[in-house]
Structure formats: structure tokens, C-alpha cells
Amino acid sequence: MRIGWIGLGNMGIPMVKNTVAAGVEVTVFNRTPKPNLDVGGATVVQKLEEAVIDQDALILMVSDGAAVKDILFAQKAVEQMRENTLVVNMSTIGVDETLDLAAGVHTRGLRFVDAPVLGSVKPATEGTLTVVAGGDEADFNELQPLFTAISKVAFHVGPVGKGAAMKLLVNAFLGMTVEALGECLSYAGNQSLATDLVMQVLENSAVWSPTLAGKRAMVEHERYEAQFALKHLKKDLGLAVRQGQAVSANMPAIETTFKSFERAESAGYGEMDMAAIVQFLSAGKQQS
Ligand code: NA7
């Protein structure tokens, strides 16, 4: 399998390395050149078209829907691909954006799969992400070499758009989890229950989870170097709220969590890890 890959961000780099290590031929392009970057032996090119032409699939792992649209249409990647190429968006974008992009891609005689991933840099490095893919089953099956390289499991969750819908569901849950922790620690702090004691008790309760375990050190040491930036989770919560409204879902807590993240970003927490919502809330800085 030969693939073109666009996007060498925090997620793209380890995913490319694992894909190459699995024996897939990868040609990568990043908007901003990154000289001397270790990409595990992938071929790095300086022009978008060089990564796009004559591939079996084009993978996009970039910031958001606007970036995907820009690459495919404004920068004309869709015009440079051979007919029937598989366009695979792994970036987290909206369901509506996904459907619009897929329609544009299909009119060019290309195929489209939305395949966002669950997990941040550590599972990306370890090749243990979870893929939630929407698209034709045959296309999903064709992408197995890629999915096997980067993930512990790949779900085919329905037609195009369902991958994005599933991913936003999980990130909405993630946002509510850290929001809940932040609110509970604010409640605890206001009545002299120490954070480490609260964490110990939670660890021995039914509400403990891999997310809480993974963020525990950050919370206890109040150091929030970004593994998954708060601004990115705010983006995803906003996309989930928009999609929820489109399908008349009943999700007041997700809407409230989104507003909390918006306020945290405005207060300067955007570049910190998403778990910094705990510090924002505990600091009593939330304004209504
Ligand atoms: P990063 O580390 O913020 O990297 C973002 C990547 O997207 C990076 O390679 C950017 O290139 C690229 N990018 C952003 N905008 C554009 C445009 N307009 N054109 C081309 N390339 C662009 O994000 P992550 O790797 O952590 O996450 C990627 C996705 O996974 C995202 O959807 C998350 O929500 C989950 P640059 O280096 O800035 O030139």
C-alpha cells in the first residue's frame, strides 16, 4: 500500500512512524517544513502535490475542518489525485463538515472515509489508538494495513460522518469527565478536603477511570503541559454541541461543559492540557 500523508503535528509524527514500521510506503508533507525531523523513514516532500499524486490513499491529520478543506480544495489536492483514490480524514472535525467534504471529494471521482482516532500522543506513539471509521465497508477493509499499524482496534461505525459523530461523543464524555473532576475538587477545596486525599478516595471508588488515572499527576502537581490542549477539546465540545443541536439531542451538561471550556480558554488556559480545566475551576475563576 502506498499512501500520502498530510500533517506532522503531535499526532501525525508518531502515526507516520508506526505506519512506516508496518511496511506501508508513506510520503509525507507538512505545511511548515520540519528539517531533521525523525519520521521513521517516510519520504518527506516539500510540495503538497508530491505527496498527493499517484497514491492509493491520502491521509489527513491536521488541526480542524478548515484545514482539511483548505488542503483538499483551496490547495487543489483533489485535482491532483488519480481517480478512485481513498481520501481518509483522521483529524477531528464536525459531522456537517465531514459530509460537505465527502460530497466534494465524491464529485471528483474519489472515495472518502472519515477515520478519527481516540487517544493522544502516548497511544499514538505506542500504536494503540482506537479508530472510529465511517464509510463503505470495502474501503474500511482496504485501510486495514494502516489501521493495524496505528491502532489496537478499528471500528467500522457506519457510513461517512458516523466516524466524526462517534469521535465527538467520546470527546464530549472526556470533557465532562475532567469538568466533573474540576467541580468536585472545587467543592472539596472549599471544605478543606485535600486534593491528594480526594484522588485516593476516588481511585477506590466506582467513578475512577483511565482518564482520571492519566491526569492524576498533572492535577496533584498542578503542572499542565499539553498532551491534548484545552483549546482542542473546547473545539471538539463546540462541534459536539453543534451536532447535538442539529439532531435535537438532549445534552445540557455537554453544553455547560463547552461554556466552561470557552471561559477557561478566554482566561488563558487554552495552550495548557485539557486537564487544566481542574485548575481553572478550583481557582474559582469561572465567571457566569
Ligand atoms: P497539532 O500538533 O496542532 O498539529 C496540527 C497539524 O495541522 C500541523 O501539522 C499543521 O501544520 C497542520 N495544519 C494546520 N492547519 C493547516 C492548513 N491550513 N494547511 C495545512 N496544514 C495545516 O495537532 P495534533 O497533531 O495534536 O492533532 C491533529 C488532529 O487530531 C486534530 O484534529 C486533533 O483534534 C486530533 P503546521 O506544522 O502548523 O504547518
Side-chain angles (χ1 to χ4, degrees), residues 6-13 15 29-34 61-68 70-71 75 90-93 117 119 121 167 171 227-229 231-233 235-236:
I6 314 298
L8 287 174
N10 294 331
M11 294 294 286
I13 295 167
M15 291 168 76
F29 170 79
N30 196 58
R31 177 181 57 178
T32 309
K34 293 186 169 175
M61 191 57 172
V62 294
S63 307
D64 53 24
V68 178
D70 183 48
I71 292 159
Q75 296 185 54
M90 306 193 88
S91 330
T92 302
I93 71 171
V117 293
V121 174
K167 165 76 196 230
N171 277 17
Q227 288 177 357
F228 179 25
K231 66 178 181 185
H232 286 327
L233 188 53
K235 173 199 80 171
D236 298 349

Side-chain angles (χ1 to χ4, degrees), residues 181-233:
L181 180 63
E183 291 190 18
C184 288
L185 287 175
S186 175
Y187 161 92
N190 286 356
Q191 46 197 313
S192 301
L193 291 169
T195 296
D196 59 343
L197 178 62
V198 173
M199 296 305 276
Q200 281 180 50
V201 171
L202 289 178
E203 188 183 15
N204 287 283
S205 78
V207 303
W208 195 244
S209 68
T211 296
L212 298 182
K215 299 302 175 187
R216 180 180 193 160
M218 283 187 182
V219 170
E220 290 189 353
H221 299 124
E222 297 189 78
R223 290 175 62 91
Y224 294 99
E225 190 182 337
Q227 288 177 357
F228 179 25
L230 187 144
K231 66 178 181 185
H232 286 327
L233 188 53

Side-chain angles (χ1 to χ4, degrees), residues 26-219:
V26 186
T27 304
V28 290
F29 170 79
N30 196 58
R31 177 181 57 178
T32 309
K34 293 186 169 175
N36 307 321
L37 181 72
D38 175 11
V39 286
T43 303
V44 181
V45 294
Q46 303 306 322
K47 289 185 185 158
L48 174 65
E49 65 185 62
E50 294 175 304
V52 164
I53 291 168
D54 204 25
Q55 306 290 354
D56 299 318
L58 180 73
I59 317 300
L60 297 120
M61 191 57 172
V62 294
S63 307
D64 53 24
V68 178
K69 190 173 177 185
D70 183 48
I71 292 159
L72 289 178
F73 299 105
Q75 296 185 54
K76 301 188 168 58
V78 288
E79 294 175 22
Q80 295 154 349
M81 280 178 253
R82 66 169 182 236
E83 201 179 341
N84 219 29
T85 303
L86 258 170
V87 178
V88 184
N89 175 48
M90 306 193 88
S91 330
T92 302
I93 71 171
V95 177
D96 46 4
E97 293 170 317
T98 300
L99 296 175
D100 283 352
L101 290 166
V105 164
H106 287 148
T107 61
R108 292 277 171 184
L110 308 167
R111 296 176 285 159
F112 190 90
V113 169
D114 64 317
V117 293
L118 314 182
S120 61
V121 174
K122 187 163 181 279
T125 304
E126 293 168 351
T128 56
L129 294 163
T130 296
V131 176
V132 285
D136 287 351
E137 191 162 5
D139 295 340
F140 174 80
N141 291 336
E142 203 174 312
L143 289 164
Q144 281 306 316
L146 168 68
F147 295 157
T148 302
I150 61 165
S151 70
K152 62 178 186 233
V153 58
F155 290 96
H156 181 221
V157 295
V160 168
K162 298 302 180 196
M166 188 68 83
K167 165 76 196 230
L168 294 177
L169 173 161
V170 174
N171 277 17
F173 209 127
L174 180 65
M176 286 193 294
T177 302
V178 283
E179 171 77 16
L181 180 63
E183 291 190 18
C184 288
L185 287 175
S186 175
Y187 161 92
N190 286 356
Q191 46 197 313
S192 301
L193 291 169
T195 296
D196 59 343
L197 178 62
V198 173
M199 296 305 276
Q200 281 180 50
V201 171
L202 289 178
E203 188 183 15
N204 287 283
S205 78
V207 303
W208 195 244
S209 68
T211 296
L212 298 182
K215 299 302 175 187
R216 180 180 193 160
M218 283 187 182
V219 170

